[in-house]
Amino acid sequence: MNWWSNNKDECHKLAKLTGPILVAQLTQMLMSVVDTVMAGRKGALDLAAVSVGGSIFVPATLLVFGLALALAPIISHLDGSNSHKRVANILQQGLYACAIVGVITLIGMSSAPWLLDIMEVEDDFRAITLDYLFYIAWGIPGFVIYAVLRNFCEGMSNTMPSLIIGFIGLLINIPANYVFVYGEFGMPELGGAGCGLATAIVLWGMALSMAIYTFTAKRYKRLRLLRRWYRPNWDDVTYVIRIGFPISMSLFFEVSLFAAVALLIAPLGPTVVSAHQIALNISSLVYMVPLSISMAVTLRVGFALGAGDPKNAMLSFKIAMLFGGAFATVNGLIMYLGGGWLASLYTPDQDIINLAATLMGLAAIFTVSDTFQAISIGTLRGYKDTKYPMILAFISYWPFGLSVGFILGRTDWVVPAMGAAGFWIGFISGLSVAAVLLSLRLRRVSRRYERKHFREQLNSAA
């Protein structure tokens, strides 16, 4: 009770930031669900094209998203230290950095025809996929603006715009998909490609909504965000890139790990693939909670460090771990005990349900490791420490996690090949190693900050 009375203020602040971020992340997932449902009802070819097109678009935009995420801890540090005169400049330099990477993303997406040629897909499938990518590419500038402004708002400890504008995007996405996929109200019937056009419209709608809010909100008047337009300062641009690029690569390592496992499981047959996809889909949905806590703790840690309070930064981390641990425990029990029922919501096939239930039991453990590593890496981002976490994430996910998964899942080297379950044990192993290594890194970084703060206090007292 005494602990709660001493720390309830920080608990409330962390929860207040986490809630809107969670809803915003869920609305983004729902947009993907809407695309899938709309394209699926149009036809199997359209659904497959949207799936492949999304598999190209999402990794291509990770670089932009990672750079934008770097703005949150940078701005939260400035907010905590009351260095508000520097916020407008860093916001604009972040926009320059993300715009440069946005151009690189567009150039990278132009290689899509070559990728599809390697895959040797059918002509109709190829045409729909390329049309989808053509339309969605028009939304990348909007995505850049939205991502930068969202992370600016969150860096200022204001996550409510993310929630509201996420709902706006979802409300635009549903009718836009309907109109362009099926050709309603005089619009062309684009099929699966219409999902790409709808997404582009949504991205621009969210960008404009976020821009209107950011530049008219009274709480930001004192920052004078548009009073002066700063020219690109390459020191500041590279500073954002130096912090943001490792975040992008960490995200890419994680996303590409799951993509690689999907390819390695594919030869095991449709039942195994389906069961794996169900378990992964549920786990991805559940992951939105620790991800949101991770993003919120980045803000609280950044603010505390900017204010010269490294002890409160670690308090935020401990409370985030408490929240995450409680969630992982409850969620793990639900997944372990109710895995079969959850799988039955996806399919009536009993073979798939049985295998998915087994994988869900492993996913219950996976969620615990994933929660702790996500919160650790989010806290390190609050310290603006991203380079070494990127390296640790790569080592944990690929050389360790994937190797363990492949050995157990596809070979008889240790035990008879376990199939999908072996790869899930690999996930657990990799994420557990990541959680330990990142925790050790955080311990070192936090102690270094505390020593630095102590020396500064001694110098100021002298």
Side-chain angles (χ1 to χ4, degrees), residues 307-379:
D309 191 358
K311 288 187 177 180
N312 203 63
M314 286 308 293
L315 173 63
S316 298
F317 164 70
K318 291 172 184 176
I319 292 173
M321 279 294 201
L322 182 64
F323 285 178
F327 168 78
T329 301
V330 174
N331 175 74
L333 287 172
I334 293 172
M335 294 176 79
Y336 181 77
L337 298 174
W341 176 79
L342 290 170
S344 69
L345 299 177
Y346 287 77
T347 178
D349 190 307
Q350 194 59 47
D351 290 338
I352 296 176
I353 291 172
N354 291 339
L355 180 54
T358 300
L359 299 181
M360 291 289 288
L362 294 171
I365 305 171
F366 163 92
T367 301
V368 176
S369 301
D370 206 12
T371 296
F372 291 147
Q373 71 91 26
I375 293 172
S376 296
I377 205 167
T379 305

Side-chain angles (χ1 to χ4, degrees), residues 236-269:
D236 289 335
V237 170
T238 53
Y239 174 59
V240 174
I241 293 174
R242 191 166 66 249
I243 295 175
F245 179 73
I247 297 176
S248 300
M249 294 309 298
S250 297
L251 296 172
F252 176 76
F253 294 149
E254 189 168 2
V255 169
S256 59
L257 171 66
F258 290 109
V261 169
L263 293 175
L264 292 170
I265 285 178
L268 301 180

Side-chain angles (χ1 to χ4, degrees), residues 89-317:
N89 175 60
I90 202 67
L91 169 63
Q92 293 177 27
Q93 302 305 323
L95 184 59
Y96 289 133
C98 290
I100 292 168
V101 174
V103 172
I104 296 172
T105 299
L106 285 169
I107 294 172
M109 286 179 62
S110 66
S111 65
W114 173 73
L115 290 174
L116 294 175
D117 286 341
I118 291 176
M119 294 169 66
E120 298 181 351
V121 299
E122 298 176 2
D123 289 342
D124 290 345
F125 179 87
R126 184 180 189 276
I128 297 173
T129 304
L130 291 178
D131 284 346
Y132 170 88
L133 291 171
F134 170 78
Y135 288 123
I136 204 170
W138 288 98
I140 287 180
F143 175 71
V144 169
I145 295 169
Y146 168 74
V148 168
L149 295 180
R150 172 182 169 173
N151 281 280
F152 157 74
C153 289
E154 292 183 358
M156 294 297 295
S157 299
N158 182 19
T159 57
M160 191 57 69
S162 301
L163 181 154
I164 296 171
I165 292 169
F167 268 116
I168 291 173
L170 183 61
L171 292 175
I172 296 173
N173 189 53
I174 295 172
N177 264 295
Y178 179 73
V179 167
F180 292 110
V181 171
Y182 302 112
E184 301 294 339
F185 304 108
M187 294 294 106
E189 184 178 347
L190 300 175
C195 294
L197 180 55
T199 300
I201 292 171
V202 167
L203 291 173
W204 274 108
M206 294 173 70
L208 293 173
S209 299
M210 190 64 84
I212 291 169
Y213 171 79
T214 301
F215 299 125
T216 60
K218 290 183 179 180
R219 67 188 299 162
Y220 300 142
K221 290 286 185 183
R222 61 194 169 97
L223 302 179
R224 300 178 178 181
L225 298 176
L226 294 179
R227 184 176 183 181
R228 175 184 172 188
W229 195 259
Y230 295 85
R231 292 182 178 181
N233 180 315
W234 297 114
D235 288 338
D236 289 335
V237 170
T238 53
Y239 174 59
V240 174
I241 293 174
R242 191 166 66 249
I243 295 175
F245 179 73
I247 297 176
S248 300
M249 294 309 298
S250 297
L251 296 172
F252 176 76
F253 294 149
E254 189 168 2
V255 169
S256 59
L257 171 66
F258 290 109
V261 169
L263 293 175
L264 292 170
I265 285 178
L268 301 180
T271 298
V272 176
V273 171
S274 298
H276 168 73
Q277 189 58 42
I278 289 171
L280 188 59
N281 186 266
I282 294 172
S283 298
S284 298
L285 182 63
V286 166
Y287 178 65
M288 292 300 103
V289 176
L291 174 63
S292 300
I293 297 173
S294 170
M295 295 171 73
V297 80
T298 297
L299 308 178
R300 291 302 301 155
V301 169
F303 184 88
L305 295 175
D309 191 358
K311 288 187 177 180
N312 203 63
M314 286 308 293
L315 173 63
S316 298
F317 164 70

